[in-house]
Amino acid sequence: MEEALFNFISNYISLSNEEKEAILDLDIFRQVSKGTVLLKEGQKSNEGYFVLQGCIRTYYIIEGEEKTTAFYTEMEGTTPHCVLNNKPSEYYIAATEDSLITISNANMEAEIFQKFPKFETLCRILSEELLAKEQINFNDFKTSSPEKRYINLLEKRPDLLQRVPQHQLASYLGIKPQSLSRLRTRITKNNKS
Amino acid sequence: MEEALFNFISNYISLSNEEKEAILDLDIFRQVSKGTVLLKEGQKSNEGYFVLQGCIRTYYIIEGEEKTTAFYTEMEGTTPHCVLNNKPSEYYIAATEDSLITISNANMEAEIFQKFPKFETLCRILSEELLAKEQINFNDFKTSSPEKRYINLLEKRPDLLQRVPQHQLASYLGIKPQSLSRLRTRITKNNKS
DNA sequence: TTCTCTTCTTAACTTAGGTGAACGCTTTTA
DNA sequence: TAAAAGCGTTCACCTAAGTTAAGAAGAGAA
């Protein structure tokens, strides 16, 4: 399974065996089961998460309602905001499936950047790339109606529709579960007629 | 004016005079006047923009309509998506005010990272920070109604309401200009009664 | 099994944003 | 200077999402 990570990294930089060892030595691989909460609102943390297998999500609880804002699946990951600003987290992170993830932390990063500057290059590229993706996602969201967003999702991440509960998907699309349900019947009816 | 940039950078790393010189030698400072289009849809580019004074925005033209998705003001900046994926740009970037900005390019970056690895650290930190901010913005947007978004904007970036045309603000909030206008009168009426 | 909790769906009603059109006002352009 | 274009606002009507409530299906626990 660690191979998946090295494969992913090899898209960006090449790793010597020594460097691979250094990563394995960090002991960052964790198996988490469905429903496990990795980060809670109000909690401070300096951990970053990267999904090798499975799915995790971030969500807020606003006026008693869960609002899912992101899903991370294979070869995706996130460093929570609270790690960067060192304030209590405003949101939760939990596994929506049994998952294999890496959990890294800020100190460990500093150390390895020193030993292998190459890793800093990797992290810079990854976060620039992520930033660009995030901006495109945001742009798409802003410039689309809920219905278009759903259709977009059908095209771009069809797996999510299968592996994730509808009510989580709904808030991810910025609407209520009832509206998502209605929207889906509206679309299938129109396609038939 | 260059001082503003060095001040900003000093929040993250300290620069020697030699390093400051290296930046100045890059000759990246540009004065652009209101309306100047920096990047067009369909165009390839490897330039990044950073605002020292003024305001630039990114916008799409979708079915003949401008959709503004971001504003960048003092000490904010962006590397367009097309620079990172090396494909034609999907959106425009233009100055909404007479502005003083830096225009850097990818080659120049590679060169300076080599000479001064410190700059790569700076760029990694900046883009991680930006990514986190972008995610928070996205989360706020997803979990709010247009009205709440407007009220949020009133609190967080009141300057924008003053310096930017209403119709650009409207699409930035994900609604039509007419709706923004209605929404504003609704809010002020409710506050009075 | 039975009970409970969660998830998803449907329905009726309300509300807010979209649409198309019109009107002043300002800015640009001819 | 006159005409045109752009911008912000208002209105009436339409449409889709929010709200509240109810019920069916499935999962998990006692």
Side-chain angles (χ1 to χ4, degrees):
Chain A
M1 198 61 228
E2 289 80 8
E3 268 313 308
L5 178 61
F6 292 139
N7 268 332
F8 173 75
I9 292 177
S10 73
N11 293 324
Y12 299 93
I13 59 173
S14 57
L15 292 180
S16 67
N17 284 333
E18 187 197 7
E19 288 159 343
K20 287 185 184 179
E21 274 306 317
I23 289 180
L24 292 175
D25 282 352
L26 292 173
D27 183 35
I28 52 179
F29 298 88
R30 295 285 181 278
Q31 183 77 44
V32 296
S33 55
K34 181 177 173 173
T36 305
V37 176
L38 298 165
L39 175 68
K40 286 185 184 169
E41 184 189 348
Q43 190 178 324
K44 284 195 181 187
S45 159
N46 57 5
E47 291 180 343
Y49 310 100
F50 186 86
V51 177
L52 295 168
Q53 167 66 231
C55 180
I56 65 178
R57 69 176 174 122
T58 61
Y59 60 99
Y60 290 69
I61 295 183
I62 297 176
E63 294 168 20
E65 275 187 27
E66 261 188 28
K67 307 247 186 181
T68 298
T69 52
F71 295 103
Y72 300 94
T73 55
E74 284 75 16
M75 300 306 127
E76 296 177 342
T78 182
T79 301
H81 196 229
C82 64
V83 175
L84 298 160
N85 67 7
N86 198 33
K87 291 182 183 167
S89 178
E90 296 179 353
Y91 52 80
Y92 296 79
I93 300 184
T96 61
E97 300 175 355
D98 293 341
S99 306
L100 177 63
I101 64 178
T102 69
I103 303 184
S104 58
N105 79 55
N107 311 328
M108 160 187 305
E109 264 183 27
E111 208 175 300
I112 202 158
F113 285 169
Q114 187 117 54
K115 265 192 230 161
F116 304 101
K118 199 188 273 185
F119 287 143
E120 179 154 30
T121 301
L122 175 66
C123 284
R124 175 184 59 82
I125 294 174
L126 279 179
S127 76
E128 283 178 359
E129 211 179 80
L130 264 174
L131 176 57
K133 272 190 203 163
E134 184 78 3
Q135 283 172 341
I136 292 292
N137 279 338
F138 196 178
N139 291 348
D140 286 347
F141 193 93
K142 265 189 191 168
T143 58
S144 305
S145 64
E147 183 170 327
K148 275 188 197 158
R149 281 176 217 150
Y150 176 76
I151 293 171
N152 264 338
L153 205 63
L154 265 177
E155 285 174 16
K156 293 191 181 165
R157 300 185 68 177
D159 58 305
L160 275 188
L161 304 183
Q162 304 307 319
R163 66 204 287 190
V164 152
Q166 295 297 310
H167 68 281
Q168 290 177 13
L169 260 184
S171 63
Y172 180 68
L173 293 169
I175 58 178
K176 304 282 164 182
Q178 298 93 314
S179 300
L180 174 56
S181 190
R182 176 171 44 193
L183 183 157
R184 296 177 65 171
T185 63
R186 194 170 63 223
I187 288 175
T188 51
K189 268 184 196 165
N190 286 352
N191 281 352
K192 281 177 187 169
S193 65
Chain B
M1 199 61 228
E2 290 80 7
E3 268 312 306
L5 178 61
F6 293 138
N7 268 334
F8 174 75
I9 291 177
S10 73
N11 293 325
Y12 300 92
I13 58 173
S14 56
L15 291 181
S16 68
N17 284 334
E18 185 196 8
E19 287 158 343
K20 287 184 184 179
E21 272 306 316
I23 289 180
L24 292 176
D25 281 353
L26 291 172
D27 183 34
I28 52 179
F29 298 88
R30 295 283 180 279
Q31 182 77 44
V32 296
S33 55
K34 181 176 175 175
T36 305
V37 176
L38 298 165
L39 175 68
K40 286 185 184 172
E41 183 188 350
Q43 189 178 325
K44 284 195 180 185
S45 160
N46 58 7
E47 291 180 343
Y49 310 100
F50 186 85
V51 177
L52 294 168
Q53 168 66 230
C55 180
I56 65 178
R57 69 177 176 124
T58 61
Y59 59 99
Y60 290 69
I61 295 184
I62 297 177
E63 295 168 19
E65 275 187 29
E66 261 187 30
K67 307 246 187 184
T68 298
T69 52
F71 295 102
Y72 300 94
T73 54
E74 285 76 16
M75 299 306 126
E76 296 177 340
T78 181
T79 301
H81 195 229
C82 66
V83 175
L84 298 159
N85 67 8
N86 197 32
K87 290 181 183 167
S89 178
E90 296 177 354
Y91 53 80
Y92 296 78
I93 300 184
T96 62
E97 299 175 356
D98 293 341
S99 305
L100 177 65
I101 64 178
T102 70
I103 302 183
S104 59
N105 80 53
N107 310 328
M108 163 187 304
E109 264 184 27
E111 208 176 300
I112 202 157
F113 286 168
Q114 190 118 54
K115 266 192 231 161
F116 304 101
K118 199 188 274 185
F119 287 144
E120 179 153 30
T121 302
L122 175 66
C123 283
R124 175 185 59 81
I125 295 174
L126 279 178
S127 79
E128 283 178 359
E129 212 181 78
L130 263 175
L131 176 57
K133 271 190 204 164
E134 184 78 2
Q135 283 173 340
I136 292 292
N137 279 338
F138 196 178
N139 292 348
D140 286 347
F141 193 94
K142 265 188 190 168
T143 58
S144 306
S145 64
E147 182 170 327
K148 276 186 196 159
R149 280 175 218 150
Y150 175 76
I151 293 171
N152 265 338
L153 205 62
L154 266 177
E155 285 173 17
K156 294 190 182 167
R157 299 185 71 176
D159 58 307
L160 275 188
L161 304 183
Q162 303 308 321
R163 65 203 288 189
V164 151
Q166 295 295 310
H167 68 280
Q168 290 176 13
L169 260 185
S171 64
Y172 181 68
L173 292 169
I175 58 177
K176 303 284 165 180
Q178 299 94 315
S179 300
L180 175 56
S181 189
R182 175 170 45 194
L183 184 159
R184 297 178 66 174
T185 63
R186 194 169 62 225
I187 289 174
T188 50
K189 270 184 198 168
N190 286 351
N191 280 353
K192 281 178 190 172
S193 65

